[in-house]
Amino acid sequence: MKRITLLLIATIVLFSANNAFAQDEKEITPEEYAEKQVKTLTTKLELSESQEFYVDSILTTNFVALKKAIEDLQRSGMQDPQTYRKCNEMWQEKTIAAMKKVLDEQQFIKYLKYMGKGKEYKKGKDGKYYLKSELKKK
């Protein structure tokens, strides 16, 4: 959870950097960030071509929307970090809900684990993920 939270906060910082240093370097766009994530997820989750297409669409759409929401908060003068965190969490939940529709059960659990969530799942001896409560019954 900490890893993904730090990753998302770092993403927000990258998106919102407006100082002279950031202008000298190429700022990563939400589309580029989504592309990198799709490549990583394609490998980790063994996505089919159609799944890869949907994951790319979901991530690109949601990262662009997250950037716009953050920019809107900045323009409005919002300075409360909690507000930015809530905005980020809202888009993260939308992404997770959309991914659940595209991925099969095992892929979705792997995705949750990758995101730092899914702590209620554990890998069984057969290599598949199960609820920890189910593994205790076996």
Side-chain angles (χ1 to χ4, degrees):
M1 180 67 175
K2 289 181 182 179
R3 184 179 90 192
I4 198 65
T5 302
L6 291 174
L7 178 65
L8 291 171
I9 290 171
T11 303
I12 292 168
V13 170
L14 283 173
F15 288 153
S16 62
N18 289 324
N19 59 27
F21 179 72
Q23 291 174 358
D24 290 342
E25 291 186 19
K26 184 181 176 216
E27 188 176 317
I28 188 168
T29 66
E31 293 85 356
E32 291 169 334
Y33 186 72
E35 185 179 330
K36 288 179 183 179
Q37 287 297 308
V38 169
K39 286 179 183 176
T40 301
L41 292 173
T42 298
T43 304
K44 283 191 174 293
L45 305 179
E46 300 173 4
L47 300 177
S48 67
E49 286 184 25
S50 60
Q51 285 176 317
E52 186 176 346
F53 171 79
Y54 285 118
V55 168
D56 181 49
S57 298
I58 291 165
L59 294 180
T60 301
T61 301
N62 289 355
F63 288 162
V64 167
L66 173 61
K67 181 180 180 185
K68 183 183 179 321
I70 288 170
E71 288 172 346
D72 290 346
L73 288 172
Q74 288 174 334
R75 273 194 292 279
S76 72
M78 181 60 61
Q79 294 182 357
D80 181 23
Q82 189 64 24
T83 304
Y84 288 94
R85 219 172 277 118
K86 284 181 183 177
C87 178
N88 184 42
E89 288 169 6
M90 179 191 73
W91 281 104
Q92 187 179 37
E93 291 303 318
K94 287 183 180 190
T95 301
I96 289 170
M99 296 290 260
K100 187 172 186 171
K101 295 176 183 177
V102 174
L103 304 174
D104 68 32
E105 182 183 20
Q106 289 297 308
Q107 287 173 321
F108 183 68
I109 295 169
K110 287 178 188 176
Y111 174 71
L112 289 176
K113 298 291 254 179
Y114 173 74
M115 295 291 292
K117 297 182 181 253
K119 294 185 186 329
E120 66 272 14
Y121 295 98
K122 187 173 182 178
K123 194 179 268 190
K125 291 180 181 179
D126 60 357
K128 294 183 179 182
Y129 285 95
Y130 298 95
L131 285 170
K132 288 180 180 177
S133 58
E134 288 179 14
L135 282 176
K136 289 179 182 176
K137 291 178 186 176
K138 290 184 177 184

